[in-house]
Amino acid sequence: MTVLVTGARGAIARNVIDLLLEASTPVRAASRVPGAADLPKGVEPVRVDFTAPETLAPALEGVEKVFMYAAHEGIDAFIAAAQEAGVKHIVLLSSAASADPESEIGAMHVAAERPLEASGIPWTFVRPAMFASNSLWWAESIRGEGAVRLPYPDAPVNPIHERDIAEVAYAALTDDGHEGRIHVIDGPGHLTQRRQIELIGEALGREIAVEALPREVAAKYMPESLLDMLAAGSTEVWGPTSEAVTGRPARTYADWVADHVDDFR
């Protein structure tokens, strides 16, 4: 079984690749610029650009399963090529925001989900809520200034370790019974953004200043739907943790910090 993994430079895709390699599963890693991805030994790099249909058939030749990021632009061409290649299962990295297709983030992901549902190719949608890796947005200011500026620092969030998301996707790719299912994944517990920064500081052994960023400034680079959620102080639980699929306890945000502390040095 050969698996094509799109978005090979992404953190979740790289973890999916690692898990497949550990199981000695042939992996083909796709990106628009294959040479830009520093891939592990044994992974075949291929060019895939959903907006360049000529790249699709060669990448999908001999592929049985696909892990793909939600890219609605060019999705019809990709599905046609996957049908022609005889792909047996596509696992889509979507978003919990798909539950609200009127939202900006939800609409983008639903635009990828719906064509797959109608394609006739067996599918699984993995819908995580907030990624812990969003914290990497703060890395530059932590390294350079020892400070983080963000909106609503005391708003609760429930971040998910990318390895947990990848393990759910890997289970969907390799185990039976996931076809036609939607796996909504949430983190293991809420904490404030301020506490996130404190945990990064504790791992670094130094204090990090926190400054509240006005909403009108944050709106220049963050979706309004996300700002609305932070402003509301919502502790909504979107779904179970990855444990519902993998059988292993979800990693905490402190676990994520321990795995990424060097990114903040």
Side-chain angles (χ1 to χ4, degrees), residues 164-241:
D164 288 337
I165 301 169
E167 287 180 355
V168 171
Y170 172 77
L173 286 166
T174 58
D175 296 342
D176 295 331
H178 294 274
E179 293 86 350
R181 295 182 62 185
I182 298 173
H183 295 309
V184 180
I185 316 166
D186 212 344
H190 284 83
L191 71 168
T192 66
Q193 294 188 99
R194 189 182 301 276
R195 180 58 182 152
Q196 287 181 285
I197 296 163
E198 288 175 354
L199 287 168
I200 295 170
E202 289 170 12
L204 292 171
R206 56 189 173 88
E207 187 174 348
I208 300 169
V210 178
E211 300 177 22
L213 192 68
R215 177 168 179 145
E216 59 270 20
V217 177
K220 295 177 181 179
Y221 63 91
M222 294 178 70
E224 289 289 346
S225 57
L226 176 55
L227 291 170
D228 288 343
M229 182 196 76
L230 294 173
S234 172
T235 55
E236 177 182 358
V237 175
W238 289 86
T241 69

Side-chain angles (χ1 to χ4, degrees), residues 23-99:
S24 300
T25 301
V27 184
R28 196 171 291 168
S31 63
R32 291 189 176 187
V33 186
D38 183 18
L39 298 172
K41 184 178 180 181
V43 177
E44 178 187 358
V46 293
R47 180 174 177 242
V48 166
D49 183 342
F50 283 22
T51 64
E54 69 276 8
T55 68
L56 304 178
L60 287 163
E61 184 178 358
V63 167
E64 293 185 33
K65 299 191 177 186
V66 176
F67 171 77
M68 63 181 288
Y69 282 67
H72 61 278
E73 187 179 7
I75 186 69
D76 291 335
F78 185 85
I79 287 172
Q83 290 168 329
E84 181 67 24
V87 170
K88 297 178 180 178
H89 188 195
I90 295 178
V91 176
L92 177 75
L93 178 63
S94 186
S95 168
S98 295

